[in-house]
Amino acid sequence: MPDYHIHTLQNGIRVVHKQVLHTKIAHSGFVMDIGSRDELPQEQGLAHFWEHMAFKGTEKRKSFHILNRLETVGGELNAYTTKEKICFYSSVLDKHFEKSFELLTDITFHSIFPEKEIEKERGVILEEMAMYLDTPEEAIVDEFDAVVFDGHSLGNNILGTRESVSGFQKQDFLSFIERNLSTEHLVFCSVSNLPFEKVLKLAEKYLNDIPHIKKSLKRAPFTSYLPKSITIEKPISQAHCVIGCPAYALSDDRRIPFFMLNNLLGGPGMNSRLNLAVREKHGLVYTIDSNYATYIDTGLLSIYFGTEKKQLKRTTSLVLKELKKLREKPLGSLQLHTAKEQLMGQLAMAEESNMGLMMMLGKSILDQGKAESLNEIFDKIRSITATDLIDIANDVLREENLSVLNYVPS
């Protein structure tokens, strides 16, 4: 990702822009270093609820006007919440960029949280929660966070609980924002064909009046992990399983080698070791994959599959066998070269998405103070050795270090 521009306004907000000449679409958004891990115990789900409420009224707009502002010109307005980030973003034709910039600023900084809208959206979120709970492959991944990060806010479900969501009032949102919002931990990022000078001019027009709010990130680190094995009976027709453990934090130099190891094990390629061993060879699953999530102080490896109840033990054994191979058998030179080429190709294709590029820009600036180019990342991948991978596998993927969560048909 070469040639991006970054400028810090007087109030601490960073403006990040990458010009892409061959597109007519302008993608932009505010990314904030606030997420579900920043909630107090009684606030579970509040960050995600704020994401919803941003569209429900500002000092000068009602919900209808917010929703129609970009839709009527063919644009899109959306948001997401993660454990450590909240993002409000939009995509519009380049000629409507200023309109989207102004609207994003309005919903990010001037929401008023109308009580009537809180009541309506409470019902929407409770339905969203019910939808996820009715989808065991989604629910088990969220519950696995609670198993690994037991007693820590990283283990809380981003949606919250029925009890917490049912109790939120306007003052809860205002208090949460007042405690967590910092202009120094907030980025406006954009990818479009517009020159940086125009983006910066609009940033000064719409953001200079935002007061400078300086707060340090006060996140309790995750330090205590105890492996667990839990089986829960549910009224489902298939057994579901997640196996995993904590992994390397965002700032750890071993992050990229471990990302490659995870990609080899159960990444999106149909040639992943888990897919070949469990689906292609034995036909035991429809879906099996592994995921590596990174946070500022830790990470999480999670391997998911669904299978017949009677095949759960066998499938679990096959997964553990593949992990053992990674710990004991170094990759040959051709295997290592292939793994590197596959990962670099996947990363290059991911950068073809300007929307994804915009979001990655904002997140990288917040987390690392910079966004690495593909060439810089490729250099790190090329330097990985088979010894690096086997050392990492033995550090993280030890069988006694793994937690297991099973959903089985009742």
Side-chain angles (χ1 to χ4, degrees):
M1 194 195 317
D3 305 325
Y4 69 87
H5 298 271
I6 183 167
H7 177 82
T8 304
L9 300 175
Q10 289 185 341
N11 54 18
I13 296 175
R14 282 169 285 182
V15 179
V16 189
H17 176 68
K18 178 172 174 64
Q19 187 177 29
V20 179
L21 296 176
H22 61 263
T23 183
K24 292 290 290 180
I25 305 299
H27 302 284
S28 61
F30 285 99
V31 185
M32 295 173 279
D33 238 335
I34 306 171
S36 61
R37 74 173 298 177
D38 301 305
E39 297 161 348
L40 299 175
Q42 69 274 18
E43 293 177 332
Q44 290 183 45
L46 191 58
H48 172 257
F49 207 141
W50 170 22
E51 172 211 313
H52 278 240
M53 288 304 301
F55 300 87
K56 300 305 175 182
T58 67
E59 294 166 6
K60 66 180 181 180
R61 288 186 173 96
K62 293 186 181 298
S63 177
F64 174 81
H65 301 114
I66 292 171
L67 297 178
N68 268 328
R69 180 72 171 157
L70 300 185
E71 296 284 346
T72 54
V73 294
E76 295 179 357
L77 179 67
N78 213 330
Y80 69 79
T81 305
T82 69
K83 304 278 186 180
E84 295 184 340
K85 300 288 183 289
I86 295 175
C87 177
F88 302 115
Y89 62 95
S90 70
S91 300
V92 292
L93 282 169
D94 50 14
K95 65 180 180 180
H96 300 301
F97 176 71
E98 181 172 1
K99 182 179 287 191
S100 72
F101 198 155
E102 187 275 332
L103 181 64
L104 287 168
T105 303
D106 195 29
I107 67 172
T108 302
F109 297 102
H110 304 295
S111 291
I112 58 173
F113 306 100
E115 294 284 4
K116 188 179 293 185
E117 294 292 341
I118 291 174
E119 288 307 314
K120 285 194 291 187
E121 207 59 26
R122 195 189 315 278
V124 172
I125 292 173
L126 290 174
E127 288 302 320
E128 182 182 3
M129 199 177 294
M131 180 184 72
Y132 275 94
L133 290 173
D134 278 347
T135 313
E137 61 267 32
E138 300 277 359
I140 194 171
V141 172
D142 286 336
E143 191 165 350
F144 187 70
D145 287 356
V147 171
V148 172
F149 299 121
D150 186 24
H152 191 276
S153 59
L154 277 172
N156 295 342
N157 193 310
I158 291 171
L159 297 180
T161 67
R162 292 191 67 88
E163 293 73 25
S164 62
V165 168
S166 296
F168 294 143
Q169 301 300 325
K170 179 174 181 174
Q171 187 55 47
D172 296 311
F173 296 98
L174 299 177
S175 298
F176 181 75
I177 293 170
E178 196 280 330
R179 192 178 74 246
N180 289 289
L181 183 64
S182 170
T183 51
E184 296 193 353
H185 295 284
L186 185 155
V187 169
F188 177 79
C189 47
S190 69
V191 173
S192 71
N193 64 15
L194 300 171
F196 180 61
E197 292 73 23
K198 182 170 184 178
V199 175
L200 185 55
K201 187 176 180 181
L202 291 173
E204 291 169 341
K205 178 179 178 180
Y206 291 112
L207 299 179
N208 271 351
D209 290 340
I210 305 298
H212 187 180
I213 306 169
K214 184 176 181 178
K215 292 189 179 77
S216 58
L217 281 176
K218 296 178 180 178
R219 287 173 169 161
F222 175 72
T223 55
S224 56
Y225 168 66
L226 289 173
K228 299 181 182 69
S229 183
I230 299 172
T231 297
I232 301 172
E233 289 191 352
K234 286 183 173 285
I236 51 180
S237 58
Q238 184 186 40
H240 298 264
C241 176
V242 179
I243 301 170
C245 58
Y248 301 117
L250 193 63
S251 59
D252 198 302
D253 290 339
R254 295 167 293 183
R255 174 178 61 93
I256 290 180
F258 189 71
F259 186 73
M260 191 173 98
L261 194 71
N262 174 73
N263 199 59
L264 176 71
L265 176 66
M270 293 185 70
N271 65 338
S272 75
R273 289 193 172 190
L274 289 176
N275 195 65
L276 291 175
V278 182
R279 174 176 165 153
E280 297 301 322
K281 185 175 181 179
H282 294 283
L284 294 174
V285 301
Y286 176 72
T287 298
I288 184 165
D289 54 45
S290 63
N291 180 65
Y292 170 39
T294 55
Y295 305 109
I296 59 168
D297 55 337
T298 187
L300 177 65
L301 171 76
S302 53
I303 300 165
Y304 164 80
F305 64 84
T307 189
E308 283 188 274
K309 182 179 180 179
K310 65 182 181 181
Q311 300 290 0
L312 178 59
K313 186 175 180 180
R314 183 184 178 202
T315 307
T316 301
S317 294
L318 288 171
V319 171
L320 295 177
K321 184 178 179 181
E322 290 304 315
L323 296 179
K324 185 178 181 182
K325 286 180 184 177
L326 289 175
R327 296 195 305 269
E328 296 181 354
K329 189 175 181 181
L331 295 187
S333 57
L334 180 58
Q335 290 176 314
L336 182 63
H337 174 76
T338 301
K340 292 178 180 180
E341 289 294 315
Q342 181 168 356
L343 180 57
M344 289 189 288
Q346 290 171 347
L347 291 173
M349 283 192 284
E351 197 168 290
E352 287 286 298
S353 164
N354 287 335
M355 168 69 81
L357 192 57
M358 180 272 294
M359 291 180 179
M360 194 261 280
L361 256 178
K363 185 177 184 299
S364 295
I365 295 300
L366 284 176
D367 288 338
Q368 299 171 294
K370 64 177 183 177
E372 293 180 304
S373 70
L374 270 181
N375 285 336
E376 289 175 303
I377 296 171
F378 286 179
D379 285 343
K380 291 181 179 180
I381 293 172
R382 292 187 186 103
S383 70
I384 296 170
T385 67
T387 302
D388 293 333
L389 296 180
I390 207 163
D391 287 347
I392 286 170
N394 278 283
D395 183 39
V396 179
L397 304 180
R398 291 172 286 112
E399 192 165 329
E400 66 273 16
N401 192 44
L402 301 173
S403 286
V404 181
L405 176 61
N406 293 314
Y407 286 177
V408 297
S410 54

